[in-house]
Amino acid sequence: MSNTSHTWITRAETSADIPAVHAINAAAFDTPAEADLVDALRADVAWIDGLSVVTTDQDGKLVGHALLTRCHIGETPALCLAPVAVLPEYQKTGAGSVAIRAALDAAKERGERFVTVLGHPEYYPRFGFSRASAYGIGISIDVPDEAMMALALDAGHPLPSGTVRYAAPFGI
């Protein structure tokens, strides 16, 4: 599939998308933990309508998903990008990237300022993320320093320092 050119469409998740979003996350990861996490976050106060973004093909088939939920850096409200999932047969086609960009754009339009991600240090810098520790941002679990990244959506508001506090369903 990766050699095929795709025109991806992104939009906010609707209630009708919930089973497909669950299936995408279940298929993209080795265990159902991420799919279950999305379902748990949907019921949590950290959920923000409009910041769960799906990628579809031109026929409306859901192939990707990116989720931003409320977290805090110290006491400062921020967003957490997790999980990001694409059906295995559509990985490396840009379906995940367009979902991430659409989610970040939606967050910025809502006046959100900061986003954190715990992920692959080779992947997320293309969206503007950089090593969180450079800004004095930490996390309470042991992860590789380069895997914890942060992004300021608005250059006028530099990243705050502090420890990232995730929504309860993350268990961190």
Side-chain angles (χ1 to χ4, degrees):
M1 295 300 306
S2 59
N3 296 338
T4 309
S5 176
H6 292 281
T7 302
W8 297 121
I9 299 161
T10 58
R11 59 174 173 77
E13 167 190 299
T14 67
S15 57
D17 298 329
I18 292 173
V21 167
H22 186 92
I24 290 166
N25 279 278
F29 295 99
D30 294 336
T31 74
E34 281 81 5
D36 294 342
L37 173 62
V38 173
D39 292 339
L41 286 166
R42 211 177 268 114
D44 192 83
V45 295
W47 186 266
I48 302 170
D49 284 335
L51 296 186
S52 177
V53 174
V54 295
T55 303
T56 72
D57 66 13
Q58 290 173 303
D59 297 324
K61 177 184 178 181
L62 271 67
V63 301
H65 176 242
L67 179 61
L68 289 168
T69 53
R70 175 68 64 220
C71 71
H72 290 80
I73 301 171
E75 297 304 313
T76 305
L79 297 171
C80 165
L81 174 59
V84 175
V86 176
L87 289 174
E89 62 269 31
Y90 292 96
Q91 290 174 4
K92 301 192 183 339
T93 65
S97 292
V98 298
I100 292 168
R101 291 187 205 287
L104 293 174
D105 288 347
K108 189 171 183 176
E109 287 170 16
R110 292 167 176 266
E112 295 289 343
R113 294 181 177 162
F114 312 113
V115 183
T116 65
V117 66
L118 180 56
H120 296 288
E122 303 82 37
Y123 182 73
Y124 290 97
R126 73 186 69 178
F127 306 102
F129 287 93
S130 58
R131 192 181 296 231
S133 62
Y135 303 94
I137 297 170
I139 184 173
S140 61
I141 59 171
D142 189 23
V143 299
D145 185 57
E146 66 274 9
M148 186 70 217
M149 292 166 273
L151 167 68
L153 293 173
D154 173 359
H157 293 87
L159 284 160
S161 61
T163 300
V164 178
R165 291 186 295 114
Y166 290 93
F170 280 97
I172 297 175

